Amino acid sequence: MTDQIVIPDTSAPKTVPVDERGEQSRWLLFYRRNGRALNAFLTFMLVWAFFASNNPTLFLIPGYYNAFLFSVPATIIITTALVFVIVSGELDLAFPSVMGASGGMFMSLVLLDIPILPAAAITMAGGALIGLLIGAVVVYGKISSLVATLGLNFFIVGLVNLIAQGRNIESRESVGTLGYRFFTGRWALGDTGILIPNHFIIALIWVAFCYVLFTYHRFGRRVQLVGDNPDSARQMGINIDRIRVGVFVFSGLAAALCGVILVQTANMVWFPTSGKAYLLIALAAVFVGGTPTWGGVGTIFGAFFGALTITLIPSGAVGAGFAGFWTDFMFGMVIILTMIAHRFSGARVR
């Protein structure tokens, strides 16, 4: 048997490099995953702090927040729904007309003595049907969604005005009913003097539903896959045409819910131009919220804070002592700065 000679290793022991930036890397990773929503939240807080510092007395009055919470739900609902459309790689410019048409449909049902809650459910189904028709025109007609929905927006608004002949629809006797209180009732937030309206609670529930649908449900995941790479999605067996139509159906459903809410917050009065003012507001809120135009990327919570920010600017600017013509300048500045901030929260994919 041969003896083995063991030569001791006298070389310096190998050292494993310690990543002193490990903690920083974890925070950086968290930011890159949630940076768009965080940017939108910080933007909202900075805008609020700027206005509050100019007129702290106003921003300590509960009445200001009562008015703000009363006016913001429709923007929240339509903005979070548009995330699905834009992430899929499409664009919906017809939602304001769907809001207006849905409000008219709802009021017509109420005048037929249909209770408010069933009328709202029928209206939302009608909004989804309009969204289905819009999606079919875009997808199966192979027309650019920008061009198609812009044209359909004018067409639906024109059709609604032709039917209504420019007249409002009112149902004052419905004010105070159970269905009306379901949408517009208010709850006191302790002893703060702040009243939380029911339709704001509905908007919060809607945001939670959109988040779960977008993040965990296969529909939301497929929307992201289709928007990121349609060819790969098709090879994975995803029916991309069905998904693209589906996002317009979802947008139509949300627009109909907004139409129902707008009518009731106006004390059961419908105007033919209802919803028209939300086109630029909702789109600005989506982009401030961190959903870029190239598809595949989006954030529901970011859209929520984007809606809060865009709604805050007009009333906050006036309340802080700025003249009304400052509003557009502030809109533009906030949008540009948040777009720059979003650029550092993740690489551009397209």
Side-chain angles (χ1 to χ4, degrees):
M1 182 174 182
T2 305
D3 294 335
Q4 295 181 352
I5 300 175
V6 179
I7 301 175
D9 185 5
T10 58
S11 60
K14 297 180 180 180
T15 58
V16 178
V18 178
D19 186 4
E20 297 179 354
R21 300 177 303 170
E23 194 70 24
Q24 178 183 355
S25 298
R26 284 193 289 272
W27 281 106
L28 182 60
L29 181 61
F30 176 79
Y31 175 73
R32 292 185 69 85
R33 287 178 176 174
N34 305 279
R36 296 181 183 277
L38 290 173
N39 289 341
F41 170 73
L42 291 174
T43 299
F44 171 68
M45 294 305 299
L46 289 173
V47 170
W48 177 87
F50 174 73
F51 290 147
S53 64
N54 281 273
N55 190 352
T57 303
L58 175 66
F59 285 85
L60 291 176
I61 298 175
Y64 175 81
Y65 297 99
N66 292 339
F68 176 75
L69 295 177
F70 193 81
S71 62
V72 76
T75 306
I76 292 174
I77 292 170
I78 194 60
T79 298
T80 48
L82 287 176
V83 171
F84 290 82
V85 179
I86 296 176
V87 168
S88 72
E90 303 295 342
L91 188 62
D92 184 7
L93 300 181
F95 69 86
S97 62
V98 180
M99 292 171 67
S102 299
M105 184 191 311
F106 172 72
M107 286 300 297
S108 299
L109 293 171
V110 171
L111 291 179
L112 293 174
D113 294 328
I114 297 178
I116 285 180
L117 292 179
I122 296 172
T123 300
M124 291 174 65
L129 178 60
I130 296 174
L132 175 64
L133 297 175
I134 293 173
V137 170
V138 171
V139 176
Y140 299 111
K142 300 187 183 304
I143 305 174
S144 165
S145 59
L146 172 65
V147 177
T149 57
L150 180 63
L152 286 168
N153 183 55
F154 285 112
F155 175 78
I156 296 173
V157 167
L159 182 62
V160 168
N161 277 281
L162 286 173
I163 295 174
Q165 292 294 302
R167 295 189 297 267
N168 301 338
I169 302 178
E170 300 183 9
S171 180
R172 300 290 187 181
E173 60 275 11
S174 299
V175 176
T177 61
L178 176 62
Y180 178 83
R181 294 198 304 272
F182 174 83
F183 281 99
T184 62
R186 302 191 183 195
W187 300 85
L189 185 63
D191 297 328
T192 62
I194 297 177
L195 302 175
I196 308 295
N198 280 355
H199 59 291
F200 181 75
I201 298 175
I202 292 172
L204 293 180
I205 296 173
W206 174 266
V207 170
F209 168 70
C210 287
Y211 176 76
V212 172
L213 184 65
F214 185 77
T215 307
Y216 299 107
H217 194 270
R218 66 179 182 178
F219 174 72
R221 293 184 177 275
R222 290 180 176 183
V223 166
Q224 297 174 62
L225 289 171
V226 169
D228 183 45
N229 193 323
D231 294 332
S232 296
R234 185 182 288 107
Q235 292 175 4
M236 293 170 63
I238 297 175
N239 188 329
I240 63 173
D241 287 345
R242 183 181 300 173
I243 294 298
R244 291 168 62 200
V245 172
V247 297
F248 286 101
V249 173
F250 192 68
S251 176
L253 178 70
L257 177 58
C258 291
V260 170
I261 289 174
L262 290 178
V263 165
Q264 297 189 74
T265 54
N267 292 322
M268 297 302 292
V269 179
W270 172 77
F271 304 94
T273 57
S274 177
K276 197 171 183 179
Y278 282 84
L279 177 59
L280 296 180
I281 291 175
L283 291 177
V286 172
F287 299 140
V288 169
T291 298
T293 57
W294 54 79
V297 179
T299 164
I300 299 298
F301 288 142
F304 169 73
F305 289 115
L308 294 181
T309 303
I310 294 299
T311 306
L312 175 65
I313 289 176
S315 60
V318 174
F322 294 93
F325 53 78
W326 277 87
T327 302
D328 290 338
F329 172 79
M330 291 182 179
F331 274 135
M333 183 176 64
V334 168
I335 292 172
I336 292 171
L337 292 179
T338 51
M339 289 298 99
I340 294 173
H342 292 321
R343 178 65 184 84
F344 293 97
S345 61
R348 175 171 176 158
V349 297
R350 188 165 301 180

